Amino acid sequence: MKCTPFALAALSLAILAGCNKAPQSTSTDTSNTNTVQTQQVEKKVSAVAPIAKKVPHEMTIHGDTRIDDYYWLRDDERKAPEVISYLEAENTYTDTMLAHTKTLQSSLFEELKGRIQKDDDSVPVKDGQYYYSSQTRGDNEYTTYLRSSDFAGTDQQVILDVNELAKGHDYFAVSGLNVSPNDNLMAYGEDTVSRRIYNIKIKDLSTGKLLEDTLEGTSGNVVWANDNKTVYYIKKDAQTLLGYQVYRHTLGKPQSDDELVYEETDTSYYTGMSKSKDGSEIYIWHSSTDSSGLSVISANDVNAKPKRFIEREANLEYSISKLGDTYYIVTNLNAVNFQLMKVDIDKAGDKANWQSVIPARKGIKLEGVELFDDYLVYQQREMGQSTLIARNLKSGKELPLSFNDSAYTINAYGNNELDSDTLRVYYTSMTTPGSSYDVNLATGEKTLLKQQAVLGDFNADNYASERIFVEARDGIKVPVSLVYRKDAFKKDGTNPLLQYGYGSYGATMDPTFSSSRLSLLDRGFVYAIAHVRGSQMLGRPWYEDGKLLTKKNTFNDFVDVTKSLVAQGYGAKDEIFAYGGSAGGLLMGAVANQAPELYKGMVAAVPFVDVVTTMLDASIPLTTNEYGEWGNPNEKEYYDYMLSYSPYDQVAKQAYPNMLVTTGLHDSQVQYFEPAKWVAKLRDYKTDDNKLLFKIDMEAGHGGASGRFKRLEDTAFNYAFILDLAGIKN
């Protein structure tokens, strides 16, 4: 799954992370209760790893039979005693093997926590008559959301205290805070399991009380009709977790009375919703890997039926923004890297009427637009760097919005008012903490509203970042972002180096600041992001060259970047570490099979590693939506190719790096049993004595722990694993 909106909705006061993959099968063999063979040895730091039993399970397709000895580890109910026993034994083993790092973990946690400003407030965002913001206080794990009638917050009102809601829950997440057009009611979603299935509640902001309405089994957000008593929401399939039905609910009525207004019958499409900036239209978004579209509903007519903007077409992608009687359309129509077009609303249904505003340009990808009454701001990417350009709609004059860093991340957010000449942007680089600016669209003048505070002795001048290009084995130049502490970096091949990668779904991992990462940099580490193929760092072709039948380019790029960084002296050849999560965990698994000798250690977080089995099982969450990303293995060509790189299937009798694998029992994107099976098979096959540790959060899902300090504990744990291997004990 992917999600990269250009402008964040004002009350989506949470950052949505890249998403991904899912898992497989059913049937658990319970014939042998000796699931785990463990031995406790009466010595410190001495333990025998859990050994999962083998129950051969045959899977035949295309005349090929695979034997999966650990298929039994799948338990969709997550209650089977032998499965839970095995996972708990893995946790015990991991804790034992890392017991000697407890002091380091603790000091790292205090170090990470010590850089965070406990009492923190976001920059208020105007939406309607109010300014909305969030705050954290003291040792609270969760956010409190507020609103005020002015930017200064002189009359702040608490609209949602997540700390209160989270009491008594091991995991708690809210989503989709959305206030009614008259500002009186607020809808939000609650998830207490981490499966990303939300129950929506409605709160009366004048009384602070909840209405009786509860909408169960949803994607977590609503869109309000303009009558202030009708909401639209997306219902999820309980098995596949796909949001596929759009319902219309009238406040005060039972959910069973809700009207189904749209149902997605093509399981390769995701369904989403939003509202036009002027509030007149509601959009149902249809999105597959290589096609997109939308249906339009009038926000003023509670009996309206959705109408297709245009009929869906294979390989046609577009999104729209409404300004007056005109739609502006970002589309790949006759444009590999997208172009901007416009059309009168009453003529939009015929593509022949679409007129080019910003034509397709070679080597430049158009990423999105933000519209105001007098300005059009567009975001584009050239040679890996994203920039914003403001165009005066009356004069046509353009003004680039410039920043100083050589590589950075910039995004527009919270721009909810059409009658504004100011653009709100978020800016960060690997040496610049996250910063919010207001930019005057007429002059380009920037006003810094807030920069993320980093407590302690942090000084940005102590650090340096670079953007370099590395030649891969096929001659393609791969961008790499690097950061290090100046006085600890020698570029003589002596620094330990941690290399991160993702490379799927077209998700571009731009360079950003991390206060936690300072704990590595201050200990001499170089940190590198390999912008491998499968992202859109160098435009849409960069993505196309790293998916389906070219997926191996993603893995080859990562390995070739490692080799080049060592050759150039950025990292010590015996002190190279790698990290990736979700689809980046697939990257870790493939690289571990291909070039294990290059890495001293790896962290594979919630890794998608059982590619073939998962993609053959349409009952698993997200599978059918992603045929366009990985291919459909029911077709032999894709089956053979996927099988040739699938980390689980390609585990070999060879030495592997030290590895830490993490998952969440309730993961909705990559089911826990994928990494569980992978670890079990690695244990059986690997020929080395290196560490292979498996940590399972028994309460969390794909995104890990829900509290801000609990997340830091997880980071400290991962860092301690890496630092210990690097011989750094404090």
Side-chain angles (χ1 to χ4, degrees):
M1 185 194 301
K2 52 186 177 181
C3 38
T4 52
F6 173 63
L8 299 178
L11 289 179
S12 292
L13 296 177
I15 297 173
L16 299 179
C19 333
N20 316 59
K21 202 43 282 166
Q24 240 68 45
S25 41
T26 33
S27 113
T28 301
D29 185 310
T30 58
S31 61
N32 184 352
T33 56
N34 265 335
T35 304
V36 185
Q37 303 168 20
T38 56
Q39 300 176 23
Q40 295 295 334
V41 180
E42 300 263 338
K43 289 184 181 179
K44 290 183 179 180
V45 198
S46 181
V48 175
I51 304 299
K53 69 177 180 180
K54 293 182 179 181
V55 182
H57 177 85
E58 289 190 3
M59 296 174 287
T60 301
I61 188 173
H62 306 305
D64 179 58
T65 298
R66 292 179 299 135
I67 305 296
D68 186 350
D69 289 329
Y70 306 107
Y71 190 88
W72 65 271
L73 279 168
R74 173 175 178 172
D75 171 33
D76 289 346
E77 297 298 320
R78 291 159 172 78
K79 295 178 180 177
E82 63 174 356
V83 172
I84 298 301
S85 174
Y86 172 74
L87 299 179
E88 289 175 342
E90 286 285 4
N91 276 338
T92 299
Y93 175 70
T94 295
D95 288 343
T96 301
M97 294 302 292
L98 292 181
H100 65 287
T101 70
K102 287 293 185 182
T103 300
L104 177 58
Q105 291 178 43
S106 179
S107 63
L108 281 169
F109 172 71
E110 293 301 326
E111 190 175 302
L112 302 179
K113 189 176 179 181
R115 295 194 189 100
I116 294 177
Q117 185 169 302
K118 291 186 177 181
D119 294 346
D120 199 12
D121 296 81
S122 71
V123 178
V125 169
K126 191 171 191 297
D127 189 35
Q129 299 302 309
Y130 289 91
Y131 290 84
Y132 293 85
S133 62
S134 62
Q135 69 176 204
T136 53
R137 291 290 181 265
D139 290 326
N140 285 346
E141 290 278 5
Y142 298 95
T143 299
T144 300
Y145 296 100
L146 311 100
R147 73 177 182 181
S148 176
S149 61
D150 58 23
F151 183 84
T154 55
D155 56 352
Q156 279 187 341
Q157 170 195 7
V158 173
I159 58 175
L160 198 70
D161 185 346
V162 184
N163 295 285
E164 289 297 320
L165 298 177
K167 287 180 178 178
H169 296 285
D170 293 319
Y171 177 92
F172 192 87
V174 298
S175 72
L177 278 69
N178 201 321
V179 175
S180 60
N182 65 6
D183 299 315
N184 292 335
L185 301 171
M186 181 181 68
Y188 64 93
E190 292 183 348
D191 175 15
T192 59
V193 180
S194 190
R195 291 287 281 172
R196 299 186 182 181
I197 297 182
Y198 297 84
N199 291 337
I200 291 172
K201 304 293 183 68
I202 312 289
K203 185 175 183 179
D204 186 325
L205 295 180
S206 61
T207 66
K209 296 181 179 180
L210 291 176
L211 304 189
E212 292 184 0
D213 304 71
T214 296
L215 307 177
E216 298 180 347
T218 81
S219 64
N221 69 298
V222 307
V223 176
W224 288 89
N226 289 337
D227 69 344
N228 299 295
K229 61 181 181 180
T230 303
V231 296
Y232 294 82
Y233 65 93
I234 297 172
K235 193 78 178 289
K236 281 193 169 186
D237 182 283
Q239 173 65 33
T240 66
L241 304 187
L242 297 178
Y244 71 110
Q245 294 175 320
V246 177
Y247 280 91
R248 180 160 44 210
H249 173 76
T250 301
L251 298 184
K253 293 187 176 182
Q255 187 177 7
S256 58
D257 288 352
D258 291 353
E259 179 187 0
L260 178 65
V261 298
Y262 177 82
E263 182 167 4
E264 182 56 70
T265 57
D266 186 337
T267 56
S268 67
Y269 277 83
Y270 292 105
T271 302
M273 284 194 307
S274 67
K275 199 172 188 180
S276 61
K277 198 167 179 176
D278 66 5
S280 65
E281 294 181 338
I282 295 169
Y283 303 132
I284 301 173
W285 297 94
H286 320 298
S287 175
S288 70
T289 302
D290 51 16
S291 301
S292 65
L294 62 92
S295 299
V296 183
I297 305 176
S298 170
N300 297 312
D301 180 2
V302 297
N303 296 309
K305 303 296 183 184
K307 180 182 177 182
R308 294 274 196 201
F309 187 74
I310 58 171
E311 288 303 312
R312 292 197 305 220
E313 298 179 25
N315 302 311
L316 176 65
E317 299 180 59
Y318 69 89
S319 61
I320 68 170
S321 300
K322 182 176 179 290
L323 183 62
D325 295 325
T326 303
Y327 287 128
Y328 285 80
I329 308 166
V330 176
T331 179
N332 68 344
L333 179 66
N334 302 320
V336 172
N337 271 322
F338 292 77
Q339 65 169 317
L340 181 64
M341 308 184 82
K342 70 176 182 178
V343 65
D344 292 341
I345 286 178
D346 58 359
K347 299 178 180 178
D350 185 352
K351 296 196 301 295
N353 297 321
W354 296 8
Q355 302 171 351
S356 183
V357 177
I358 300 175
R361 295 155 297 163
K362 186 176 181 180
I364 302 177
K365 181 177 183 291
L366 179 65
E367 297 191 313
V369 299
E370 186 71 71
L371 288 170
F372 301 90
D373 288 337
D374 298 325
Y375 294 92
L376 181 157
V377 180
Y378 61 96
Q379 187 159 353
Q380 66 181 28
R381 186 180 295 272
E382 183 175 13
M383 289 299 293
Q385 183 57 65
S386 188
T387 56
L388 292 168
I389 296 104
R391 175 183 291 187
N392 188 304
L393 289 173
K394 295 178 180 177
S395 68
K397 182 180 178 181
E398 292 195 343
L399 180 66
L401 307 181
S402 60
F403 289 85
N404 295 328
D405 291 298
S406 59
Y408 55 84
T409 297
I410 187 168
N411 287 299
Y413 80 98
N415 296 287
N416 304 303
E417 310 301 313
L418 285 165
D419 60 345
S420 176
D421 60 359
T422 300
L423 179 76
R424 176 70 58 81
V425 301
Y426 177 83
Y427 174 86
T428 181
S429 74
M430 296 181 88
T431 58
T432 306
S435 308
S436 290
Y437 288 90
D438 273 349
V439 183
N440 186 300
L441 294 173
T443 65
E445 181 182 356
K446 300 187 290 289
T447 301
L448 178 62
L449 303 174
K450 178 184 177 179
Q451 185 172 88
Q452 173 192 344
V454 183
L455 304 184
D457 60 355
F458 170 72
N459 183 342
D461 292 337
N462 291 334
Y463 305 88
S465 65
E466 298 182 36
R467 166 65 60 84
I468 65 173
F469 285 81
V470 164
E471 185 171 326
R473 64 193 68 180
D474 59 359
I476 295 293
K477 299 290 182 68
V478 181
V480 182
S481 298
L482 296 145
V483 65
Y484 47 80
R485 185 175 174 112
K486 293 176 184 177
D487 59 8
F489 177 59
K490 302 180 178 61
K491 202 177 180 181
D492 61 357
T494 60
N495 286 87
L497 182 146
L498 175 61
Q499 181 175 316
Y500 167 80
Y502 187 75
S504 293
Y505 305 100
T508 300
M509 302 305 180
D510 281 312
T512 59
F513 182 82
S514 165
S515 64
S516 296
R517 191 187 299 141
L518 298 175
S519 291
L520 296 178
L521 305 185
D522 289 349
R523 289 171 171 82
F525 266 78
V526 174
Y527 182 83
I529 304 174
H531 302 290
V532 295
R533 277 172 280 189
S535 74
Q536 297 186 80
M537 177 59 74
L538 296 182
R540 190 52 177 255
W542 198 247
Y543 173 37
E544 300 294 339
D545 208 21
K547 68 173 186 174
L548 296 174
L549 298 175
T550 60
K551 186 62 202 172
K552 290 181 184 178
N553 287 334
T554 301
F555 318 137
N556 296 343
D557 286 354
F558 192 89
V559 169
D560 294 345
V561 165
T562 300
K563 291 178 178 178
S564 180
L565 292 178
V566 170
Q568 294 183 61
Y570 283 101
K573 66 181 179 65
D574 296 325
E575 297 290 338
I576 304 298
F577 300 85
Y579 173 85
S582 198
L586 163 66
L587 173 61
M588 294 299 100
V591 167
N593 285 332
Q594 179 187 144
E597 72 283 356
L598 295 181
Y599 305 95
K600 187 169 190 177
M602 281 187 172
V603 177
V606 292
F608 169 44
V609 285
D610 192 12
V611 183
V612 179
T613 309
T614 289
M615 294 304 297
L616 280 170
D617 189 342
S619 72
I620 287 181
L622 314 184
T623 291
T624 56
N625 297 77
E626 303 198 354
Y627 287 154
E629 179 72 25
W630 313 102
N632 183 350
N634 291 292
E635 300 175 29
K636 190 174 188 305
E637 179 183 30
Y638 289 109
Y639 174 86
D640 290 341
Y641 188 78
M642 295 161 73
L643 188 62
S644 72
Y645 71 74
S646 172
Y648 184 59
D649 292 284
Q650 293 302 316
V651 170
K653 290 189 179 299
Q654 63 180 13
Y656 281 89
N658 295 283
M659 300 178 74
L660 171 63
V661 182
T662 67
T663 192
L665 181 63
H666 300 285
D667 197 326
S668 60
Q669 313 301 107
V670 180
Q671 311 300 306
Y672 77 88
F673 44 81
E674 287 206 39
K677 295 197 304 179
W678 184 45
V679 168
K681 189 172 182 180
L682 281 168
R683 282 238 171 82
D684 186 41
Y685 276 63
K686 73 191 196 80
T687 59
D688 58 85
D689 293 324
N690 290 332
K691 292 178 180 177
L692 174 57
L693 306 179
F694 187 29
K695 181 185 179 185
I696 308 98
D697 190 321
M698 303 300 281
E699 276 81 44
H702 197 65
S706 55
R708 59 173 176 156
F709 296 125
K710 179 62 169 67
R711 290 194 186 101
L712 292 182
E713 290 179 2
D714 292 343
T715 300
F717 184 87
N718 294 342
Y719 281 7
F721 171 77
I722 293 170
L723 291 172
D724 181 58
L725 291 173
I728 301 172
K729 305 303 181 184
N730 52 53

